mmCIF file of all heavy atoms in Angstrom:
data_model
loop_
_atom_site.group_PDB
_atom_site.id
_atom_site.type_symbol
_atom_site.label_atom_id
_atom_site.label_comp_id
_atom_site.label_asym_id
_atom_site.label_seq_id
_atom_site.Cartn_x
_atom_site.Cartn_y
_atom_site.Cartn_z
ATOM 1 N N LYS A 137 -29.719 -115.213 60.393
ATOM 2 C CA LYS A 137 -30.133 -115.499 61.734
ATOM 3 C C LYS A 137 -29.244 -116.620 62.311
ATOM 4 O O LYS A 137 -29.268 -117.727 61.739
ATOM 5 C CB LYS A 137 -31.614 -115.916 61.808
ATOM 6 C CG LYS A 137 -32.210 -115.956 63.182
ATOM 7 C CD LYS A 137 -33.667 -116.246 63.127
ATOM 8 C CE LYS A 137 -34.281 -116.311 64.532
ATOM 9 N NZ LYS A 137 -35.741 -116.577 64.416
ATOM 10 N N SER A 138 -28.451 -116.281 63.297
ATOM 11 C CA SER A 138 -27.509 -117.320 63.813
ATOM 12 C C SER A 138 -28.192 -118.582 64.280
ATOM 13 O O SER A 138 -29.168 -118.526 64.975
ATOM 14 C CB SER A 138 -26.801 -116.699 65.011
ATOM 15 O OG SER A 138 -25.981 -117.718 65.616
ATOM 16 N N PRO A 139 -27.683 -119.708 63.788
ATOM 17 C CA PRO A 139 -28.372 -121.018 64.219
ATOM 18 C C PRO A 139 -27.954 -121.290 65.699
ATOM 19 O O PRO A 139 -28.425 -122.280 66.246
ATOM 20 C CB PRO A 139 -27.716 -122.034 63.272
ATOM 21 C CG PRO A 139 -26.413 -121.415 62.791
ATOM 22 C CD PRO A 139 -26.675 -119.953 62.792
ATOM 23 N N TYR A 140 -26.964 -120.523 66.249
ATOM 24 C CA TYR A 140 -26.508 -120.773 67.555
ATOM 25 C C TYR A 140 -27.320 -120.043 68.589
ATOM 26 O O TYR A 140 -27.725 -120.596 69.641
ATOM 27 C CB TYR A 140 -25.067 -120.305 67.752
ATOM 28 C CG TYR A 140 -24.088 -121.014 66.655
ATOM 29 C CD1 TYR A 140 -23.484 -120.392 65.709
ATOM 30 C CD2 TYR A 140 -23.963 -122.464 66.708
ATOM 31 C CE1 TYR A 140 -22.634 -120.979 64.867
ATOM 32 C CE2 TYR A 140 -23.203 -123.079 65.880
ATOM 33 C CZ TYR A 140 -22.525 -122.451 64.781
ATOM 34 O OH TYR A 140 -21.730 -123.085 63.944
ATOM 35 N N ASP A 141 -27.598 -118.679 68.424
ATOM 36 C CA ASP A 141 -28.320 -117.910 69.437
ATOM 37 C C ASP A 141 -29.444 -117.094 68.890
ATOM 38 O O ASP A 141 -30.076 -116.297 69.647
ATOM 39 C CB ASP A 141 -27.263 -116.984 70.174
ATOM 40 C CG ASP A 141 -26.579 -116.046 69.218
ATOM 41 O OD1 ASP A 141 -26.976 -115.868 68.102
ATOM 42 O OD2 ASP A 141 -25.557 -115.494 69.679
ATOM 43 N N GLY A 142 -29.706 -117.231 67.486
ATOM 44 C CA GLY A 142 -30.909 -116.458 66.908
ATOM 45 C C GLY A 142 -30.589 -115.079 66.652
ATOM 46 O O GLY A 142 -31.505 -114.433 66.041
ATOM 47 N N LYS A 143 -29.443 -114.503 66.936
ATOM 48 C CA LYS A 143 -29.112 -113.087 66.606
ATOM 49 C C LYS A 143 -29.030 -112.904 65.103
ATOM 50 O O LYS A 143 -28.575 -113.838 64.392
ATOM 51 C CB LYS A 143 -27.874 -112.709 67.325
ATOM 52 C CG LYS A 143 -27.980 -112.571 68.809
ATOM 53 C CD LYS A 143 -26.573 -112.085 69.350
ATOM 54 C CE LYS A 143 -26.679 -112.020 70.901
ATOM 55 N NZ LYS A 143 -25.387 -111.624 71.473
ATOM 56 N N VAL A 144 -29.430 -111.735 64.577
ATOM 57 C CA VAL A 144 -29.313 -111.409 63.274
ATOM 58 C C VAL A 144 -27.957 -110.811 62.919
ATOM 59 O O VAL A 144 -27.501 -109.797 63.667
ATOM 60 C CB VAL A 144 -30.374 -110.369 62.798
ATOM 61 C CG1 VAL A 144 -30.233 -109.956 61.312
ATOM 62 C CG2 VAL A 144 -31.771 -111.070 62.970
ATOM 63 N N ILE A 145 -27.234 -111.299 61.923
ATOM 64 C CA ILE A 145 -25.826 -110.873 61.691
ATOM 65 C C ILE A 145 -25.880 -110.478 60.165
ATOM 66 O O ILE A 145 -26.383 -111.214 59.346
ATOM 67 C CB ILE A 145 -24.856 -112.045 61.923
ATOM 68 C CG1 ILE A 145 -24.907 -112.329 63.336
ATOM 69 C CG2 ILE A 145 -23.435 -111.615 61.471
ATOM 70 C CD1 ILE A 145 -24.273 -113.722 63.691
ATOM 71 N N LEU A 146 -25.199 -109.380 59.814
ATOM 72 C CA LEU A 146 -25.087 -108.960 58.490
ATOM 73 C C LEU A 146 -23.660 -109.264 58.015
ATOM 74 O O LEU A 146 -22.653 -108.743 58.538
ATOM 75 C CB LEU A 146 -25.270 -107.429 58.398
ATOM 76 C CG LEU A 146 -25.114 -106.819 56.936
ATOM 77 C CD1 LEU A 146 -26.034 -107.446 55.952
ATOM 78 C CD2 LEU A 146 -25.135 -105.279 56.955
ATOM 79 N N LEU A 147 -23.512 -110.149 57.033
ATOM 80 C CA LEU A 147 -22.306 -110.489 56.397
ATOM 81 C C LEU A 147 -22.091 -109.764 55.089
ATOM 82 O O LEU A 147 -22.748 -109.999 54.168
ATOM 83 C CB LEU A 147 -22.125 -112.054 56.165
ATOM 84 C CG LEU A 147 -20.740 -112.544 55.691
ATOM 85 C CD1 LEU A 147 -19.618 -112.301 56.692
ATOM 86 C CD2 LEU A 147 -20.865 -113.947 55.304
ATOM 87 N N THR A 148 -21.224 -108.725 55.027
ATOM 88 C CA THR A 148 -20.908 -108.031 53.859
ATOM 89 C C THR A 148 -19.644 -108.475 53.206
ATOM 90 O O THR A 148 -18.892 -109.150 53.899
ATOM 91 C CB THR A 148 -20.795 -106.488 54.212
ATOM 92 O OG1 THR A 148 -19.589 -106.412 54.992
ATOM 93 C CG2 THR A 148 -22.047 -105.954 54.933
#
Side-chain angles (χ1 to χ4, degrees):
K137 188 176 181 181
S138 170
Y140 303 118
D141 58 15
K143 290 181 181 177
V144 175
I145 298 157
L146 176 65
L147 184 65
T148 64

